[in-house]
Amino acid sequence: MSTTLTTPTNKIADVLKELGIQEINSGVSTGSTWMRGEGATLASHSPVDGALIGSVRSASRSEYEKALAVAQQGFLEWRTWPAPKRGEVVRQLGEELRKHKAGLGKLVSYEMGKSYQEGLGEVQEMIDICDFAVGLSRQLHGLTMHSERPDHRMYEQWHPLGLVGIITAFNFPVAVWSWNTALAWVSGDVCLWKPSEKTPLCSVACQHITAEVFKRNGVPEGVSVIVNGGREVGEWMSNDTRIPLLSATGSTRMGKAVGAAVGQRLGRALLELGGNNAIIISDKADLDMSLIGAVFGAVGTAGQRCTTTRRLIIHDTVYEAFKQKLVKAYGQLRIGDPLDEKNHVGPLIDTHAVELYLSALNAAKAQGATIAVEGGVVTGKGYESGCYVKPAIVEATPEMTIVQEETFAPILYLLRYSGDINEAIAIQNNVKQGLSSAIMTLDLREAERFLGVGGSDCGIANVNIGTSGAEIGGAFGGEKETGGGRESGSDAWKTYMRRQTNTINHGAKLPLAQGIKFDL
């Protein structure tokens, strides 16, 4: 693997100006209004070169209360807007994001560390979900049912839920917010966003873009609220009965804490948590096509996607041949400045992530695994941030403890199977997480077995594509310790609304259901 890095600080100075980013920013806003930010200061250092991009002042508890009160007031008006009119506002936001795609994509790349192409892809996801939500704004439909009683009509309708809390992770600092907000806004909800403290400047940029669109359209203050801060802000939100739905993306440990707090107050929690995703490489697979899916899935975003490919379950008869293809491909990876499009792999988010990566590799060795492609920290001139690591390949067995865990880093475990597809599926399902899965096979029966009852137990199951790169048209989420939440496409919009069943008697009598007689 070759390593290249240029210092990109000067490359994004114009981007920061374009997106309204200053040296010191308030991280608390109710729309066009920015509060002082009386909490702790969050310093955003780029993992690319370690440079300080800017600082964000986080919210105090009193500012949180003020922001939430504005959101509650804004909801009272926003919910009365016709859904297609709300959709028109979201359409304009999508257009504004198109104008800022290059700049916001660069900021995502520089603040988080993913490649510029992936940064652009993340902004494109924002644009796509806006387009999806615009059409959805005219299709928030309910069902009509036949009543057993004469001269009665029964139907269901959907109403706005209220204030939606959103907690996002560093690895997708803008897209996951938009998945929630676009659907929530057309549904008539207002949103309060706690971004990751590791990528606060992306939230400031998104709020500036959104506020401009909202101001042009007379959207009430409080429909889009951001409250930057640390763990305490998430705890305020989790325990706040004024927030009927809390969408949280992050680790399983974090999700369990959020789920317990929200459940105790009988609120709704939409959880998108860890993944330990596998690709089954059948002996009937196209190995060249499989290679592309496996390598991108394993090293994209430096292994910091919830859908990252962490396990390859390879049939014994093609194991050695495919391993050699992988080793050769890894030897061609370029590690370095993510804004340089010649590079494949950028940095991890911070040095703590590097420590976890090294700890996982040491644990794998201690448990008897064999290293097929050595990992390690990339050092030398230009890599002073200490956040660059080499993607590693580890030959392991399914029962190893480290294989059962999710390490947010580019470590790929190779596992063998020698029986039929049922053995491979059993290995794949034998982890606590259940987000994304894939099989590479040209055998129709194997593919259908993988997708059918008793097949993959994940929320996402793919055939002849990898585990990463979900489109917004399908509902995104997983099972087991992944949390069970669904965001983005399909009918995920129902999560952001409350269902109401209505029965209307338009006759002259009042018959009771189930034929009950109650004569006075």
Side-chain angles (χ1 to χ4, degrees), residues 67 311 356 394 435:
R311 298 175 295 145
L356 295 176
V394 178
L435 179 53

Side-chain angles (χ1 to χ4, degrees), residues 218-263:
V219 174
E221 196 78 1
V223 174
S224 179
V225 176
I226 64 169
V227 181
N228 272 282
R231 177 177 178 178
E232 71 283 354
V233 177
E235 291 175 347
W236 299 341
M237 295 168 69
S238 298
N239 292 287
D240 199 325
T241 57
R242 295 166 294 181
I243 300 177
L245 171 64
L246 184 58
S247 172
T249 302
S251 68
T252 296
R253 177 188 55 79
M254 179 275 291
K256 287 181 177 180
V258 169
V262 174

Side-chain angles (χ1 to χ4, degrees), residues 367 396-404 415-416 427 430-431:
Q367 292 170 28
T397 57
E399 67 275 5
M400 289 181 180
T401 303
I402 193 63
V403 176
Q404 300 286 317
L415 313 173
R416 292 177 183 260
I427 294 172
N430 191 31
V431 292

Side-chain angles (χ1 to χ4, degrees), residues 167-174 176 193-196 199 249-251 408:
I167 299 174
T168 58
F170 72 86
N171 59 331
F172 280 87
V174 296
V176 174
W193 178 23
K194 182 222 170 292
S196 169
T199 51
T249 302
S251 68
F408 231 49

Side-chain angles (χ1 to χ4, degrees), residues 424-436:
I425 292 172
I427 294 172
Q428 183 217 272
N429 291 347
N430 191 31
V431 292
K432 294 179 181 179
Q433 310 84 358
L435 179 53
S436 188

Side-chain angles (χ1 to χ4, degrees), residues 2-23:
S2 58
T3 56
T4 60
L5 181 69
T6 57
T7 304
T9 306
N10 60 338
K11 296 181 182 179
I12 71 159
D14 56 334
V15 169
L16 299 179
K17 184 177 180 180
E18 170 200 340
L19 297 174
I21 305 293
Q22 302 172 350
E23 183 178 351

Side-chain angles (χ1 to χ4, degrees), residues 381-403:
K381 184 179 179 181
Y383 298 90
E384 289 83 2
S385 72
C387 296
Y388 291 87
V389 301
K390 299 175 183 178
I393 298 177
V394 178
E395 296 183 82
T397 57
E399 67 275 5
M400 289 181 180
T401 303
I402 193 63
V403 176

